[in-house]
Amino acid sequence: QVQLVESGGGLVQAGGSLRLSCAAGGLTFNIYKVAWFRQAPGKEREFVANIRWSGGAAQYADSVTGRFTISRDNVKNTMYLQMDNLNPEDTAIYYCAGRTISTDQYQYWGRGTQVTVSS
């Protein structure tokens, strides 16, 4: 099993920045790809960004391209989401997720961290 724990959420003004972290524990060698998702109040959970655990090109949702950067540190077993130029529409609970190479579904999820952007 893999355990994921997010941190770094909080309250920020529009135009500000936050960096989220996701610490991975357990059988991390099983992880193929990691991602960030978010869920705003009253909305469906949506994809934000992903990257291979071993590195390589990242993918982003159109709504965050150019503002958010996903990265990972295999030595620290930690994934990050640098969020710049935040706006109130970015307010949501942010979840990190991981999956093995054998499936397209993310099997491992953190409990989430709240990000609130005030106008």
Side-chain angles (χ1 to χ4, degrees):
Q1 283 292 340
V2 174
Q3 298 83 41
L4 301 173
V5 180
E6 304 95 338
S7 61
L11 174 64
V12 64
Q13 289 189 331
S17 298
L18 278 176
R19 188 176 82 155
L20 305 183
S21 299
C22 175
L27 304 179
T28 57
F29 59 84
N30 281 338
I31 300 174
Y32 170 67
K33 187 168 284 189
V34 288
W36 288 95
F37 290 80
R38 66 185 182 184
Q39 187 166 20
K43 293 188 177 181
E44 303 260 333
R45 185 172 60 194
E46 65 175 359
F47 167 80
V48 175
N50 68 18
I51 191 169
R52 289 184 186 176
W53 190 238
S54 61
Q59 296 177 305
Y60 297 92
D62 290 343
S63 58
V64 306
T65 296
R67 300 187 300 121
F68 290 11
T69 304
I70 188 172
S71 62
R72 88 284 172 267
D73 184 329
N74 297 81
V75 174
K76 296 182 178 180
N77 280 339
T78 302
M79 174 175 69
Y80 305 97
L81 185 68
Q82 177 67 40
M83 305 186 294
D84 298 317
N85 194 20
L86 286 159
N87 59 62
E89 289 70 39
D90 295 316
T91 294
I93 299 175
Y94 283 71
Y95 299 91
C96 65
R99 68 174 179 87
T100 62
I101 198 171
S102 61
T103 176
D104 290 336
Q105 302 299 314
Y106 285 88
Q107 303 120 305
Y108 311 117
W109 291 86
R111 293 187 176 183
T113 185
Q114 176 71 48
V115 171
T116 303
V117 184
S118 63
S119 57

